[in-house]
């Protein structure tokens, strides 16, 4: 009877955990899916300039984010239930996905299919034809999910290793600097080996492994330089700069508005034929607007939180 009661309790807890994960996935994915549909309708409606080689005919990055977020929620649920949290499972899964995906691209003909494949399928089965055509028309975006999911997993693993290591507070500043430096050098070395020794070129279009490594190398290098600049001022770094915190806190809102600003810039300015000086001016105004938005949102919600505490 005791064993039966324990098994029933465990099954009930597992079901509750699964329901919570599903609810979390819906909360995370639904806004991204909606934004992706709105962007698709808007772009097709106003005949906005677009390159199908970027994500495909109908796909956009909001759909990619939706799939990545849903996959991350499912992975964290599985990891929490079946794996020991002491091992770097995120990084291990990222490496496995990257290896399999790059083998498909380099040996299985995936890179050639993405770059030179047709945008429609030919088949006698109408149901298969529609599914196949939808896939090949948006192959860059759909297959790119694997690359961006690997990038997300690798980023989380590096964040735990470099930014939030479980060490004494007295040594964390120096440890962060060294680990960021080591990670940066390692990513650049791996990127150099793949591109210069093995001859696998960067491909933003397929989101291949060299592109993922380049993204990680660039970002860890920038973080390393920023951390060094902050620590060189003589005070230990206890938290990230406010601009980083606010942008991270309101990532979806900032990303959405930055997409709108990008569209406005392309509609109002002849970006293709702009001079270097004009391009730098547009980019500077764009970045200032995005940063100002994140700071404004941060202040508004901070004031709201203080007011709620007083009430």
């Amino acid at each position: 009877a005791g064993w039966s009661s324990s098994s029933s309790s465990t099954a009930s807890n597992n079901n509750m955990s699964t329901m919570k994960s599903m609810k979390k996935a819906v909360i995370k994915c639904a806004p991204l899916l909606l934004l992706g549909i709105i962007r698709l309708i808007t772009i097709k409606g106003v005949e906005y300039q677009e390159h199908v080689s970027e994500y495909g005919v109908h796909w956009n990055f909001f759909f990619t984010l939706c799939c990545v977020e849903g996959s991350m929620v499912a992975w964290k649920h599985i990891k929490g239930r079946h794996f020991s949290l002491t091992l770097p499972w995120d990084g291990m899964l990222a490496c496995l996905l990257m290896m399999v995906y790059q083998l498909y691209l380099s040996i299985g003909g995936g890179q050639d299919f993405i770059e030179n494949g047709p945008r429609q399928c030919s088949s006698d089965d109408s149901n298969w034809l529609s599914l196949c055509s939808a896939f090949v028309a948006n192959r860059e975006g759909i297959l790119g999910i694997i690359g961006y999911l690997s990038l997300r997993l690798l980023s989380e693993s590096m964040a735990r290793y470099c930014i939030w290591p479980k060490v004494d507070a007295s040594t964390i500043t120096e440890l962060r600097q060294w680990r960021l430096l080591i990670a940066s050098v390692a990513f650049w070395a791996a990127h150099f080996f793949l591109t210069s020794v093995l001859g696998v070129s960067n491909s933003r279009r397929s989101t291949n492994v060299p592109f993922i490594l380049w993204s990680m190398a660039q970002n860890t290098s920038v973080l390393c330089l920023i951390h060094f600049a902050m620590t060189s001022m003589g005070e230990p770094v206890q938290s990230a700069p406010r601009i980083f915190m606010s942008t991270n806190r309101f990532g979806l809102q900032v990303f959405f508005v930055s997409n709108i600003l990008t569209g406005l810039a392309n509609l109002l300015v002849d970006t293709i034929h702009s001079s270097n000086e004009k391009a730098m001016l547009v980019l500077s105004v764009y970045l200032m607007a995005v940063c100002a938005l994140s700071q404004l949102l941060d202040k508004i919600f901070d004031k709201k939180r203080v007011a709620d505490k007083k009430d």
Side-chain angles (χ1 to χ4, degrees):
W3 177 84
S4 176
S5 176
S6 176
S7 299
S8 177
S9 176
T10 301
S12 177
N13 289 336
N14 288 339
N15 289 335
M16 288 180 64
S17 176
T18 302
M19 290 300 295
K20 286 182 179 179
S21 296
M22 291 177 64
K23 182 180 178 181
K24 187 176 181 181
V26 171
I27 292 173
K28 281 178 169 285
C29 295
L32 294 168
L33 180 62
L34 179 61
L35 289 172
I37 294 172
I38 292 173
R39 190 179 193 277
L40 172 63
I41 294 173
T42 304
I43 286 179
K44 298 300 181 183
V46 301
E47 297 183 355
Y48 180 77
Q49 56 176 328
E50 57 178 334
H51 300 281
V52 294
S53 60
E54 188 175 11
Y55 294 110
V57 179
H58 313 101
W59 202 267
N60 60 64
F61 196 57
F62 286 111
F63 292 142
T64 300
L65 287 176
C66 177
C67 295
V68 170
E69 285 299 323
S71 300
M72 286 299 297
V73 172
W75 162 243
K76 287 180 179 180
H77 175 70
I78 295 170
K79 182 176 67 172
R81 288 183 59 178
H82 302 289
F83 295 95
S84 169
L85 299 180
T86 57
L87 294 176
W89 291 108
D90 289 347
M92 293 165 66
L93 179 60
C95 291
L96 177 62
L97 287 174
M98 289 162 62
M99 180 180 68
V100 173
Y101 185 47
Q102 191 58 53
L103 285 174
Y104 162 68
L105 292 174
S106 299
I107 300 176
Q111 190 69 38
D112 181 64
F113 165 64
I114 289 174
E115 293 181 357
N116 305 309
R119 290 290 172 185
Q120 288 185 333
C121 296
S122 56
S123 173
D124 295 331
D125 188 338
S126 59
N127 292 328
W128 166 249
L129 178 61
S130 59
L131 288 173
C132 178
S133 295
F135 172 73
V136 298
N138 302 284
R139 56 184 179 268
E140 292 91 348
I142 296 172
L143 291 174
I145 294 170
I146 304 171
Y148 282 108
L149 178 58
S150 302
L151 184 59
R152 172 67 182 275
L153 289 164
L154 204 55
S155 299
E156 292 214 359
S157 185
M158 285 297 101
R160 280 191 288 272
Y161 174 75
C162 300
I163 309 298
W164 302 300
K166 294 181 179 180
V167 295
D168 294 334
S170 59
T171 60
I172 191 170
T173 300
E174 184 177 356
L175 188 63
R176 276 177 181 167
Q177 186 64 55
W178 278 108
R179 287 191 174 185
L180 283 169
L181 179 61
I182 292 169
S184 175
V185 171
F187 282 124
W188 282 120
H191 179 266
F192 176 81
F193 178 78
L194 274 178
T195 56
S196 299
V197 178
L198 298 183
V200 183
S201 59
N202 279 349
S203 176
R204 160 65 181 77
R205 190 171 176 182
S206 64
T207 323
N208 64 352
V209 173
F211 175 80
I212 295 169
L213 292 174
W214 173 82
S215 300
M216 292 298 301
Q218 183 190 48
N219 283 286
T220 50
S221 297
V222 170
L223 286 173
C224 183
L225 290 172
I226 291 173
H227 192 274
F228 176 76
M230 293 176 66
T231 53
S232 65
M233 296 177 183
E235 296 183 4
V237 180
Q238 300 297 334
S239 62
R242 187 180 179 88
I243 186 65
F244 289 179
M245 298 289 286
S246 60
T247 303
N248 187 60
R249 182 182 176 189
F250 301 100
L252 178 58
Q253 295 89 332
V254 171
F255 180 69
F256 178 65
V257 173
S258 64
N259 264 260
I260 294 175
L261 290 177
T262 301
L264 287 174
N266 286 326
L267 289 173
L268 300 175
V269 181
D270 184 9
T271 53
I272 296 177
H273 303 100
S274 295
S275 62
N276 292 336
E277 293 77 11
K278 188 176 181 180
M280 284 300 299
L281 177 62
V282 172
L283 286 173
S284 299
V285 173
Y286 170 85
L287 287 174
M288 285 190 291
V290 171
C291 292
L293 171 68
S294 66
Q295 294 287 76
L296 180 63
L297 288 172
D298 197 42
K299 287 190 175 183
I300 290 173
F301 280 86
D302 276 347
K303 289 181 179 179
K304 185 177 183 298
R305 183 165 33 183
V306 171
D308 289 341
K309 285 182 179 180
K310 288 180 180 180
D311 294 339

